Amino acid sequence: MELLTASSATFSPLPSNFPSFTFKATISKLVFTAMLVTSTTIALSETPSLALSEENRLFLEAWRTIDRAYVDKTFNGQSWFRYRENALRNEPMNTHLAIRKMLATLDDPFTRFLEPEKFNSLRSGTQGALTGVGLSIGYPTASDGSSAGLVVISSMPGGPANRAGILSGDVILAIDDTSTESMGIYDAAERLQGPEGSPVELTVRSGAEIRHLALTREKVSLNPVKSRLCVVPGPGKSSPRIGYIKLTSFNQNASVCGSFFLLRITFLAGAVREAIDTLRSNSVNAFVLDLRDNSGGLFPEGIEIAKIWLDKGVIVYICDSRGVRDIYDTDGTDALAASEPLAVLVNKGTASASEILAGALKDNKRAVLFGEPTYGKGKIQSVFQLSDGSGLAVTVARYETPAHTDIDKVGVIPDHPLPKTFPKDEDGFCGCLQDSASTCNMNGGQLFAR
C-alpha cells in the first residue's frame, strides 16, 4: 500500500466496442483499476468547414472521447456540439490547455487530463515506488460542512500522519504553505509524495483547532488482512467466540497488468478465506468485518470478497445515463461464510470498493452495519489513451447498491452507531467486548441484533 491516497476511484468496463485491457495504476495510494482505451481516430469530415491542424485533431479526439463515454449526457447542461465548434473557431489551440479548459466545463473533479508522462506512470504503475505520509484524501462532501480544503478519508495506522494525530474527517488546508482551497486531489497527491526521509509541512484543521505539522515521508508496508479470535465472557460454556477480520485496503502492494491482475484478486480473497478458516478452526460462532478507514481500491476485489459472505443476490448495479448497464451478482458458488452472524464496522473513511462491499452485505440482509455514514464515492472512471501519448480519466458510470441506492456524496448509512470510544485496532476491539465496565463495551447481542 502506498502512503498517500487521493480518493480511490472505482472502475468498470465499457461496452465491448471499446478495445481495452485492465491494469491498476497508482498515484501514491490513489489506485485505479482502469480501462485503457485506445481512442478512435476522428474523421476529417466531422468539421468540413475547417482546415484541421494536428492540434485540432487531438482536441477533437478528446472531445469525441467525452462525447461517447461521459456519464452525464447533458454535459453539465451545455451543448457539447456547440462547445466543439466554438472552441475550434475561437480557442488558441494550445491543445493540452484547450482540453483542460473543455474538461473544466463539466465541473467533475474526477474527469481530468493526463500528460503523457503521468499517463505512462499510471499504465506502468511506477508511482507505486513513491513514498508519502499515509493519508487517503478526497473532496469535501455535504456532511463535512465545509468546502474549503481537502478532507482526510483515512489516516494509515502507524504512518507519519497518523502518528501526528491526523484522523478521518480532518481537513488539509495547506501543503508546504500552498493553500488547498482550489487544489485538486491529484495535485495534492503529487505534493505529498517525495523521496523517503524528505520533509513536508501540512496545515490541518481538526474541529475548531488548526495545527501546523512538519512530517517526514516514509515507506510503510501493511498487511491488508488482519484477524483475531475474541472470546467474550459468558455463562458456562456459552461464551461467544467472535472472529474479528480487519480489511485495511483493496490494493496492497500491487501494480496490476494483464494476468497479474487475476493473481492479485486471488491473493486478497484467498487471505480473507484463510482468515475465516483459521478462525473457524477455533470454533467461532460469529464474525465482525472491520472496514473502517478502508479507502477502497480495486473494484473486483470488493466483488470477490462480497461473494465469500453471500449465498446469493445482487452485489452492485453499474448505471449510466440510460439506467442500469450491468449487474454484478453471485449464485453462492464462492460462498464460504454465508450463515454465521456478521457485523460490519464502517466510518467516514470507508470509501469506494469498501462501500460496495458494505452496501451489498447490508442490502442483502447478510450483515448489521455499525458506525457512521461512509465517505460516498459512487462514481466510476475509465482511462482513455490519446494519440499523442496523453490520456483522459473520464467518469463513465455510477454504481448503486442492491437496493438501488445511489451513495455518491451520501455514503452507506449504518444500522446503528458505535460508542464514540470504540477502538480501531484488534486488541482494543476485543478489550471492549470483554470488559463489561468499559465505556466502549458492546455485548454480542447488541453487536449482531438487527
Side-chain angles (χ1 to χ4, degrees):
M1 176 184 295
E2 294 304 323
L3 299 180
L4 163 73
T5 305
S7 176
S8 297
T10 308
F11 288 79
S12 179
L14 286 171
S16 58
N17 62 325
F18 289 96
S20 59
F21 65 84
T22 305
F23 66 90
K24 175 184 175 185
T26 308
I27 296 181
S28 189
K29 200 187 106 193
L30 167 64
V31 183
F32 293 143
T33 302
M35 297 300 298
L36 176 65
V37 183
T38 304
S39 298
T40 304
T41 302
I42 305 300
L44 299 187
S45 59
E46 288 205 9
T47 53
S49 61
L50 298 175
L52 296 181
S53 66
E54 288 301 317
E55 289 80 6
N56 292 145
R57 292 171 187 267
L58 186 64
F59 177 84
L60 282 173
E61 198 177 348
W63 179 92
R64 178 67 175 276
T65 299
I66 300 297
D67 183 58
R68 296 181 67 190
Y70 193 59
V71 63
D72 176 14
K73 294 308 179 185
T74 73
F75 302 99
N76 196 29
Q78 63 182 317
S79 168
W80 199 236
F81 177 81
R82 184 173 298 166
Y83 184 91
R84 180 192 72 173
E85 297 303 301
N86 290 339
L88 289 174
R89 288 188 171 91
N90 303 321
E91 283 288 338
M93 201 47 70
N94 177 332
T95 313
H96 290 179
L97 183 61
I99 292 173
R100 290 180 188 276
K101 185 175 180 181
M102 175 180 69
L103 298 181
T105 68
L106 299 173
D107 194 25
D108 177 358
F110 298 104
T111 295
R112 64 192 183 102
F113 177 74
L114 303 168
E115 298 285 354
E117 60 273 15
K118 289 185 180 180
F119 180 80
N120 287 332
S121 293
L122 288 176
R123 181 169 57 183
S124 64
T126 55
Q127 295 210 34
L130 297 179
T131 58
V133 296
L135 287 179
S136 172
I137 59 176
Y139 295 106
T141 61
S143 63
D144 295 313
S146 173
S147 60
L150 296 171
V151 175
V152 174
I153 301 176
S154 62
S155 180
M156 186 182 64
N162 184 261
R163 295 199 304 269
I166 300 177
L167 302 173
S168 300
D170 288 353
V171 178
I172 301 175
L173 300 175
I175 303 172
D176 284 331
D177 295 326
T178 300
S179 172
T180 62
E181 184 171 0
S182 59
M183 186 183 295
I185 55 175
Y186 307 99
D187 184 12
E190 291 185 355
R191 291 173 184 270
L192 286 165
Q193 295 170 355
E196 185 174 9
S198 60
V200 60
E201 294 185 359
L202 301 183
T203 302
V204 178
R205 186 177 71 234
S206 302
E209 180 186 6
I210 294 180
R211 295 179 293 159
H212 301 277
L213 303 172
L215 306 180
T216 301
R217 298 179 177 95
E218 296 179 2
K219 288 182 182 179
V220 176
S221 295
L222 282 180
N223 179 359
V225 182
K226 299 179 180 179
S227 62
R228 171 163 178 178
L229 170 66
C230 296
V231 180
V232 182
K237 296 183 179 181
S238 63
S239 298
R241 300 174 67 85
I242 297 173
Y244 173 87
I245 299 175
K246 185 175 183 67
L247 279 179
T248 60
S249 169
F250 290 123
N251 45 47
Q252 168 70 6
N253 291 339
S255 176
V256 178
C257 184
S259 61
F260 184 68
F261 174 75
L262 298 177
L263 296 175
R264 175 68 194 105
I265 303 302
T266 302
F267 167 77
L268 187 60
V272 174
R273 289 177 177 275
E274 183 178 349
I276 291 172
D277 287 338
T278 300
L279 292 167
R280 275 184 169 166
S281 70
N282 287 285
S283 303
V284 298
N285 44 39
F287 287 101
V288 170
L289 180 62
D290 193 345
L291 299 177
R292 290 175 295 173
D293 295 331
N294 183 327
S295 57
L298 292 173
F299 172 86
E301 286 185 344
I303 301 298
E304 292 305 309
I305 292 173
K307 291 179 180 180
I308 292 174
W309 302 97
L310 293 171
D311 57 0
K312 62 179 179 178
V314 172
I315 297 172
V316 67
Y317 294 103
I318 305 301
C319 307
D320 58 18
S321 59
R322 295 178 295 276
V324 174
R325 191 182 76 193
D326 204 356
I327 301 173
Y328 288 83
D329 58 9
T330 181
D331 60 5
T333 303
D334 298 313
L336 177 63
S339 58
E340 292 96 339
L342 175 64
V344 176
L345 312 183
V346 297
N347 67 0
K348 66 182 70 175
T350 305
S352 191
S354 58
E355 290 179 288
I356 291 175
L357 175 58
L361 296 177
K362 178 187 178 183
D363 286 0
N364 281 288
K365 311 296 183 186
R366 174 64 188 92
V368 184
L369 266 60
F370 287 84
E372 57 189 353
T374 61
Y375 178 73
K377 175 67 177 68
K379 294 289 178 64
I380 300 168
Q381 284 78 37
S382 287
V383 174
F384 297 78
Q385 184 177 22
L386 301 179
S387 58
D388 73 335
S390 61
L392 300 176
V394 181
T395 299
V396 296
R398 58 183 174 83
Y399 68 79
E400 295 179 354
T401 70
H404 286 290
T405 301
D406 182 353
I407 63 110
D408 195 56
K409 300 182 181 180
V410 178
V412 178
I413 308 302
D415 300 297
H416 307 287
L418 280 173
K420 291 183 178 180
T421 56
F422 206 80
K424 293 184 179 180
D425 63 287
E426 56 268 35
D427 292 337
F429 169 82
C430 288
C432 279
L433 296 188
Q434 293 165 347
D435 183 3
S436 60
S438 171
T439 58
C440 63
N441 179 258
M442 295 179 66
N443 62 45
Q446 289 176 302
L447 198 57
F448 299 105
R450 294 196 174 277

